[in-house]
Amino acid sequence: AFDFAEIVPTPPYSGDHKQRIFDFVLRTGRPWALLVPAYVAEKSYFPRDARPFFLGPFPYEYDHPHGAGADTSPFVSVWAVHLGPRTDRLCPLVSSPSFRRDLADLVAAGALRGAKRPNPRQRKKRRRRAS
């Protein structure tokens, strides 16, 4: 068993790390705040039933080891925050311009598309039509 007050993870965002950190924090039953790519809120493993809120989107810059990764991040990040049973009661008290209550708010803020991304073949076809 782990003894901690909060968890604040740092990336990596590769492999199944994102899913594993959500599984872990849900098992603990404690409040959490996770810095994640905004698109994670649309994934099947995202704990929608916990009704977390979001802070962001933020254009964080991530440093990569020399020769690895891109020069800029291909995604925006958000803080997904869950305060346990107090979450719903505390949300009306948050007075931050970056506060987002749910997925619809993230879409409205431009952090998510709100629609499924076309597959590679569909994207290629759209590019051909546009040129």
Side-chain angles (χ1 to χ4, degrees):
F2 296 94
D3 186 25
F4 59 88
E6 333 43 53
I7 295 176
V8 180
T10 56
Y13 294 134
S14 57
D16 65 348
H17 289 110
K18 297 178 293 290
Q19 182 172 356
R20 288 174 41 211
I21 191 68
F22 279 112
D23 290 344
F24 176 78
V25 296
L26 290 173
R27 279 195 316 270
T28 67
R30 298 214 177 159
W32 45 266
L34 302 174
L35 178 63
V36 295
Y39 67 80
V40 168
E42 296 179 309
K43 296 294 185 182
S44 62
Y45 58 79
F46 186 78
R48 286 177 199 78
D49 293 344
R51 294 186 34 83
F53 64 89
F54 305 93
L55 296 173
F58 299 108
Y60 287 109
E61 294 182 20
Y62 299 96
D63 291 330
H64 302 279
H66 181 68
D71 290 338
T72 59
S73 177
F75 53 81
V76 295
S77 298
V78 295
W79 285 94
V81 182
H82 178 67
L83 303 173
R86 298 176 300 261
T87 302
D88 285 332
R89 287 191 316 241
L90 292 174
C91 280
L93 304 176
V94 178
S95 63
S96 169
S98 63
F99 174 79
R100 314 283 181 240
R101 182 60 188 111
D102 53 26
L103 285 177
D105 284 353
L106 285 177
V107 171
L112 298 173
R113 289 190 184 126
K116 188 174 179 181
R117 182 179 180 195
N119 67 41
R121 180 181 283 170
Q122 292 168 325
R123 292 193 309 264
K124 184 176 181 180
K125 189 174 181 179
R126 285 183 184 177
R127 282 192 304 270
R128 251 186 282 135
R129 284 183 183 165
S131 59

